[in-house]
Each structure stands twice: as C-alpha cells, then as structure tokens.
C-alpha cells in the first residue's frame, strides 16, 4: 500500500512541475543531440526556431502528463487492490 501512495505522490508532484520539467528535458535533449532546432527556409530563423522549440516542449509536457496519469492510476490500483485483498482492519 505504501508503494501505491508513493506512486500517487510522485505523479502529483510531477503534474505540478510538468512545465519546468519539460523545458529542462528539452534543453538536455537538445544539448545531447547537439542542435538548437531545425529552421525552414520559408521562415526567418528566429521565428522557426522558437515555434519548433515550443512544439517540442509541449510534446515533452504531454509525455509527462501521460506518465503522471500512469503513476497515479497505478498507485490507485495498488492501494485499492491492497485494501480489497489485505485490509488493514482484518489483521494478518
């Protein structure tokens, strides 16, 4: 049951700070790949780079929301199944 509560706690904290985490993940991945963004020839570089970076950050944010939901639902499932099959009031 404690594991389920920890999963829920991690998911909620991640959900609260998902935007700064997504920005940091984008910065780290950009540094690892060694590029700042791809520019198309139809747009000026400063506009194309900012829009592409914004899309990538939103992508990382959506991925973080998915993982948050998996952690929260998994934690709830662990807690509910623990309460059903080993209720604390029944004794061991």
């Amino acid at each position: 049951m404690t594991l389920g509560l920890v999963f829920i706690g991690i998911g909620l904290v991640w959900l609260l700070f998902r935007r700064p985490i997504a920005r940091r993940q984008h910065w780290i991945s950009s540094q690892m790949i060694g590029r700042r963004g791809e520019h198309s020839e139809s747009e000026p570089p400063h506009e194309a780079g900012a829009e592409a970076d914004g899309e990538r950050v939103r992508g990382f944010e959506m991925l973080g929301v998915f993982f948050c939901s998996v952690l929260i639902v998994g934690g709830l499932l662990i807690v509910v199944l623990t309460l059903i099959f080993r209720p604390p009031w029944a004794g061991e």
Side-chain angles (χ1 to χ4, degrees), residues 60-83:
F60 278 115
E61 189 177 345
M62 288 294 108
L63 187 64
V65 169
F66 171 74
F67 283 126
C68 289
S69 63
V70 168
L71 281 170
I72 292 170
V73 169
L76 286 173
L77 188 65
I78 290 171
V79 169
V80 167
L81 290 176
T82 302
L83 288 175

Side-chain angles (χ1 to χ4, degrees), residues 19-33 35-37 49-50 52-58 60:
R19 287 194 179 115
I21 291 172
R23 275 190 237 108
R24 183 71 174 170
Q25 287 174 333
H26 176 260
W27 181 80
I28 290 171
S29 66
S30 295
Q31 295 296 319
M32 289 177 66
I33 294 172
R35 64 179 176 179
R36 276 301 306 155
D53 286 346
E55 289 295 321
R56 288 186 183 114
V57 169
R58 277 193 290 277
F60 278 115

Side-chain angles (χ1 to χ4, degrees), residues 38-52:
E38 299 173 4
H39 307 293
S40 66
E41 296 192 19
S42 62
E43 299 180 33
H46 65 280
E47 290 178 12
E51 185 176 327

